[in-house]
Amino acid sequence: MKNLLSLSVLAMFIGILSSCNMGNSKDTKLQNPTAKVSNEKQMTPDEAKAKTMADLQEAFKGETTASAKYAAYSQKAEQDGFHNIALLFKAASTAEKVHANNHKSVMVEYGVAIPEFAPEFTVKSTAANLQDAIDGESYEIATMYPDFLKDAGNSKSQLAQITFNYALEVEKKHQIMYKNALAALDNNSVNELPQVYYICPTCGNTYDQTPPERCGISMTSSEKFLKINSL
C-alpha cells in the first residue's frame, strides 16, 4: 500500500511538472519573435483544380514514356542474353501502359486535353537501363505521386486520387523488382529471376508469382490478369 501511495504521489508530481512545462513552452512560443509563420499561399478551388489537371497531363506523359522505354529496354536485355530481365521490363511496360490509360480516362472524364508528344529516351546497357528504371520509380514514389495526390486532395478530384494512388502503389513493387534484377545481374544469377508475371488490367499491379484470387490494390479478379511469360 505504501509503495502504491508513493507511486500515486509521484505520478501527480510529474503531472504537475508536465503542466508547468507545457505552459512555459506555450509562453515561450508566444513570446518568441523568430517563430516561423507559413507564407504558403492557399490556392483557390479553381487553381487547385487546374493544378490537378496539369498533374494528370504530366503523369500521362511520364507513364507513356515509361511504357515505351521499358519495352525498348526489354528488347535490349534480350539482345544481351538476359531473358528473365527482358520479361521483367515487358511486364513493367505493360503495367505502365495501364497507368497511362487510367490517367487518360480521367482526363477525358474531366474534359482535359490529352497531350500529344513523342517519348524520348536513350537505351544503354542492361545494367544502366535497370538503374535508370530504379531512379525513375524512386522519383515517382518519393516525390511525384505524393505531390500529385496532395494536389488532387486539395482539389477534391476523387478520380485523380484513385489513378494516382494505383500508380504509386504499383511503382513501389516495380522499384523492388528492378533492384532485385540489378543485384542478380551483378551476382551472375539472372537465371534465378522470375520467368512469369501477372498484371492487373485495372491498376497495373504486378505479381512475379501466382497471384491471389483478387488484386491486392484494386480487388480485380485474378481471372482477368494479363500473363507475361514470353516476349
Side-chain angles (χ1 to χ4, degrees), residues 180-190 192:
N180 290 341
L182 184 57
L185 187 61
D186 291 339
N187 297 328
N188 296 316
S189 57
V190 171
E192 298 177 12

Side-chain angles (χ1 to χ4, degrees), residues 4 11 37 53 67 70 84 90-91 107 129 131 141-142 157 160 170 185-186 203 205 215 227-228 230:
L4 182 59
V37 178
M53 300 307 107
S67 180
Y70 293 162
N84 291 6
K90 181 177 180 180
M107 284 190 287
N129 292 339
Q131 186 59 59
I141 293 168
S157 303
V170 176
L185 187 61
D186 291 339
C203 67
N205 196 1
C215 172
K227 185 177 182 179
I228 307 295
S230 63

Side-chain angles (χ1 to χ4, degrees), residues 20-35:
C20 292
N21 288 336
M22 288 178 65
N24 291 337
S25 177
K26 290 179 180 179
D27 291 341
T28 300
K29 290 180 180 178
L30 289 173
Q31 296 172 6
N32 185 1
T34 61

